[in-house]
Amino acid sequence: MVTTTSAGISRRQFLAAGGLAVAAGCLVPKGLFAQGDDVLVPNAFKEAATAKVTVQTLRRNISVLYGAGGNIAVLTGPDGKLLVDSEIVTSRANVSAALATINADPIKQLINTHWHFDHTGGNEWVHEAGASILAHENTRKNLSKETRVEGWKHTFPAAPAGAIPSIIVKDDHTLHVNDTTLMLNHYLPAHTDSDISVHFTEADIFHTGDTFWNRDYPFIDYSTGGSIDGTIRATEANLAKVTDKMIVIPGHGAVGSRADLILFRDVLVEIREKVAALKRQGKSLAEVVAAKPSARYDAEWGNLFMTPSAFLALVYQGV
Ligand SMILES: [Zn+2]
């Protein structure tokens, strides 16, 4: 089903093969939450400038690009390229080069799964290249003004005019591009208040945006409507749509399947329940972190953007 890279390859192997293991390691915000420093976003800008971007062909006319930021889906055909998400702004050269290896067709449309900088950073250059940008109304809202993300200790200035989506959806939406039907579904507040999924129906490929991280603890943006319970609800919504035959593109990590989504749901629910029980006993965040309620997953799941203690802090905040 996956033509250029084995679907069975692990994310670690894939990232290592793509030369990203070192870059991902540099993104880990060691001590970020303890120090309260604005570290993660500046580091991500720096790492994305040199991080390799690799292409994996999936099914039919759809590929995925892996780089330092969010995964980009690419739909090709007579209407030109359609992208789902646009990575970190500093990855422009390497994203452009990767797109050129697919074909020389222009980028005509871009869909943002949500407003975060690692999914919308390329909006301005993609728009300049000739693409229209579609997103949920809250993506436009959050990009149109200065927006602080407390979890990253970072304040984002309003995006440039060319980066602002001009085609706005408020709820579910369907479009037809390149002989393909795209069904867009809006989530209730989950990872942010602006999350949408994209289902390429003929190829049966489902891009979840950041409501799903494959074998990594997810970031949750409480500053713009996200929560641990909303993230779990979104995972249940994904499971209600995703079948055993679908290819699932997560916001971060390698493409996966329904089984990976079930695992993600189970890990989130287990850690949420353990943290909630400790908090009910009156434990402080430091005491919860010291109790290591996520220990059995930390070696595998705590390596990308989120350290185990940073993830536990986000769970603790919401229970
Ligand atoms: Zn995000």
Side-chain angles (χ1 to χ4, degrees):
M1 84 185 168
V2 175
T3 54
T4 58
T5 306
S6 163
I9 196 168
S10 78
R11 190 188 66 83
R12 289 315 153 212
Q13 289 167 323
F14 190 85
L15 290 178
L20 263 173
V22 173
C26 294
L27 288 174
V28 173
K30 290 197 166 43
L32 171 64
F33 288 80
Q35 297 166 12
D37 291 340
D38 180 358
V39 169
L40 186 141
V41 173
N43 276 352
F45 282 131
K46 200 160 61 181
E47 295 307 325
T50 54
K52 189 172 178 182
V53 176
T54 54
V55 181
Q56 182 180 6
T57 306
L58 297 178
R59 267 203 290 248
R60 212 167 172 261
N61 47 346
I62 297 164
S63 306
V64 61
L65 268 54
Y66 296 105
N71 294 331
I72 297 177
V74 184
L75 171 72
T76 58
D79 302 324
K81 291 192 184 93
L82 177 146
L83 308 187
V84 178
D85 284 345
S86 65
E87 259 267 18
I88 298 169
V89 64
T90 47
S91 68
R92 174 180 184 165
N94 288 341
V95 169
S96 296
L99 289 171
T101 67
I102 298 175
N103 64 39
D105 294 347
I107 310 168
K108 300 301 285 185
Q109 298 184 62
L110 167 63
I111 297 169
N112 292 144
T113 60
H114 63 294
W115 78 276
H116 279 157
F117 79 105
D118 52 328
H119 298 257
T120 61
N123 277 21
E124 186 178 32
W125 74 260
V126 169
H127 175 72
E128 278 173 9
S132 58
I133 306 175
L134 179 153
H136 186 263
E137 61 178 345
N138 288 339
T139 292
R140 179 166 67 179
K141 179 192 76 179
N142 294 328
L143 288 177
S144 298
K145 59 179 176 53
E146 183 178 281
T147 301
R148 179 160 180 83
V149 176
E150 203 53 51
W152 289 333
K153 303 295 180 201
H154 191 86
T155 301
F156 295 88
I164 309 291
S166 60
I167 305 167
I168 298 305
V169 298
K170 297 183 177 182
D171 207 339
D172 298 348
H173 188 76
T174 302
L175 62 159
H176 301 276
V177 180
N178 289 330
D179 304 317
T180 299
T181 305
L182 290 81
M183 293 179 65
L184 280 48
N185 287 123
H186 175 234
Y187 296 95
L188 295 170
H191 169 72
T192 67
D193 61 4
S194 61
D195 306 302
I196 58 174
S197 61
V198 180
H199 183 206
F200 301 93
T201 58
E202 290 83 358
D204 216 9
I205 295 174
F206 189 76
H207 195 316
T208 63
D210 275 359
T211 67
F212 171 43
W213 299 46
N214 198 1
R215 289 176 169 74
D216 283 302
Y217 292 138
F219 179 65
I220 299 168
D221 183 2
Y222 285 83
S223 296
T224 60
S227 66
I228 179 64
D229 288 347
T231 300
I232 291 170
R233 269 197 303 274
T235 306
E236 297 290 359
N238 286 335
L239 283 169
K241 292 193 180 76
V242 170
T243 68
D244 289 333
K245 293 175 182 167
M246 280 190 195
I247 295 174
V248 185
I249 304 176
H252 300 270
V255 295
S257 64
R258 178 176 171 81
D260 297 305
L261 263 175
I262 291 171
L263 176 65
F264 181 70
R265 188 265 320 269
D266 291 348
V267 168
L268 293 188
V269 169
E270 178 184 327
I271 295 173
R272 186 227 180 269
E273 292 313 311
K274 285 180 174 172
V275 171
L278 291 164
K279 192 172 181 179
R280 276 196 301 271
Q281 293 166 20
K283 302 272 194 247
S284 68
L285 174 59
E287 289 169 330
V288 169
V289 169
K292 298 189 182 303
S294 60
R296 59 189 287 214
Y297 304 110
D298 288 349
E300 184 178 17
W301 291 66
N303 286 313
L304 196 58
F305 284 97
M306 302 297 297
T307 60
S309 59
F311 179 62
L312 290 172
L314 292 177
V315 176
Y316 187 87
Q317 185 174 349
V319 298

